[in-house]
């Protein structure tokens, strides 16, 4: 059975191996009858290609910086906030050019006044789903330690703490966080099986001993600096 370290190395290697195999795979050629190959930018069946066919799990995810414009308490929940978040022109187009509505179970951990007008890191291409009866189109990422009521494996880990991530001052609203070798176009929406890409990526996201938010040991970085958390060695979700 592979060790944890070996498993991490395998996960890092797979994208490079897949890319290498793709380069060696023979490309389609015209038939003897002179049929032309399918035009570029078209997927099978004539549909427009999204450009994500050879993407990695990380590149399919859209991690973007947003600014919280409004925060209100859910009328029927003591845990949920309803946020209006500006994700920049490109991503706001996916919500009819309006700020994104996202629900977060943070009432117990974050004060409204500390939430509004703050820059946050959002996974912006999750499939919208109803939470507390209200459609939520994304997830605000936070760092947490201690027990998690949704994960029995963390029972007995002490008092639960949850904090928002610290985005470097000067980061542009809507800026996407990408990693070298994983900067291909993201999926517009991570529907059904594609949602597993997000789950796979998040297994390797945590804060380091000095609070830097990392994926496979590589920092989440914007044009203004690295993203951090006030909780060290914490889970990110």
């Amino acid at each position: 059975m592979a060790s944890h370290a070996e498993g991490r190395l395998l996960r890092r290697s797979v994208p490079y191996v897949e890319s290498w195999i793709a380069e060696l795979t023979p490309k389609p050629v015209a038939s003897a009858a002179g049929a032309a190959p399918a035009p570029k930018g078209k997927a099978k069946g004539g549909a427009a290609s999204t450009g994500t066919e050879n993407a990695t799990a990380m590149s399919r995810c859209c991690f973007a910086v947003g600014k919280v414009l409004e925060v209100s308490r859910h009328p029927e929940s003591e845990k949920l906030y309803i946020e209006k978040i500006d994700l920049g022109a490109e991503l706001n187009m996916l919500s009819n050019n309006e700020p994104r509505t996202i629900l977060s179970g943070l009432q117990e951990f974050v004060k409204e006044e500390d939430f509004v007008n703050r820059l946050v890191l959002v996974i912006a291409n999750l499939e919208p789903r109803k939470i507390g009866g209200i459609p939520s189109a994304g997830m605000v990422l936070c760092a947490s330690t201690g027990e998690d009521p949704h994960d029995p494996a963390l029972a007995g880990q002490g008092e639960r703490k949850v904090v928002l991530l610290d985005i470097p001052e000067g980061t542009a609203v809507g800026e996407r966080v990408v990693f070298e070798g994983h900067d291909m176009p993201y999926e517009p929406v991570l529907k059904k099986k594609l949602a597993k890409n997000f789950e796979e990526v998040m297994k390797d996201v945590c804060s380091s001993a000095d609070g830097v938010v990392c994926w496979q040991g590589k920092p989440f970085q914007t044009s203004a600096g690295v993203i951090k958390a006030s909780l060290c060695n914490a889970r990110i979700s």
Side-chain angles (χ1 to χ4, degrees):
M1 182 175 179
S3 68
H4 179 68
E6 290 170 335
R8 291 172 68 89
L9 287 172
L10 284 171
R11 285 194 295 272
R12 295 182 188 183
S13 301
V14 167
Y16 297 99
V17 174
E18 290 177 339
S19 176
W20 175 67
I21 292 173
E23 291 178 0
L24 295 179
T25 302
K27 303 298 187 293
V29 297
S31 68
K40 292 182 179 180
K42 295 288 184 180
K44 185 177 180 181
S49 170
T50 62
T52 61
E53 292 84 355
N54 297 317
T56 63
M58 170 53 84
S59 66
R60 286 192 172 100
C61 298
C62 181
F63 292 94
V65 173
K67 184 174 183 178
V68 181
L69 303 179
E70 300 176 17
V71 177
S72 60
R73 294 174 180 266
H74 192 290
E76 299 178 0
S77 172
E78 296 180 352
K79 296 182 178 180
L80 293 172
Y81 279 135
I82 305 169
E83 304 110 43
K84 294 288 186 180
I85 300 179
D86 180 9
L87 286 170
E90 178 182 333
L91 288 167
N92 285 348
M93 285 178 62
L94 301 177
S95 53
N96 298 317
N97 295 315
E98 296 287 340
R100 194 74 65 88
T101 298
I102 296 178
L103 278 77
S104 306
L106 294 173
Q107 281 195 36
E108 181 182 352
F109 306 102
V110 180
K111 296 179 180 179
E112 288 181 63
E113 56 267 32
D114 294 334
F115 205 174
V116 71
N117 293 322
R118 184 185 179 110
L119 292 179
V120 291
L121 184 63
V122 173
I123 174 67
N125 61 336
L126 294 179
E127 185 172 17
R129 65 188 183 96
K130 285 189 176 182
I131 301 177
I134 298 174
S136 177
M139 178 189 295
V140 174
L141 296 179
C142 298
S144 64
T145 58
E147 295 185 355
D148 185 337
H150 303 293
D151 190 347
L154 296 174
Q157 296 296 312
E159 179 185 3
R160 189 177 188 216
K161 298 179 180 179
V162 180
V163 298
L164 295 168
L165 303 183
D166 297 322
I167 312 300
E169 185 177 352
T171 301
V173 171
E175 181 174 338
R176 182 187 173 199
V177 178
V178 296
F179 293 81
E180 184 177 356
H182 303 271
D183 54 356
M184 291 79 90
Y186 58 84
E187 290 285 345
V189 181
L190 291 172
K191 292 184 177 180
K192 299 179 180 179
K193 291 183 179 180
L194 288 175
K196 293 182 179 179
N197 288 274
F198 174 62
E199 296 171 8
E200 178 183 339
V201 165
M202 294 308 295
K203 291 177 183 177
D204 292 324
V205 179
C206 62
S207 66
S208 65
D210 54 357
V212 176
V213 177
C214 297
W215 170 68
Q216 294 186 351
K218 304 170 187 176
F220 274 71
Q221 186 158 344
T222 73
S223 57
V226 298
I227 296 175
K228 292 188 174 183
S230 58
L231 294 177
C232 300
N233 299 316
R235 304 179 297 276
I236 306 296
S237 60

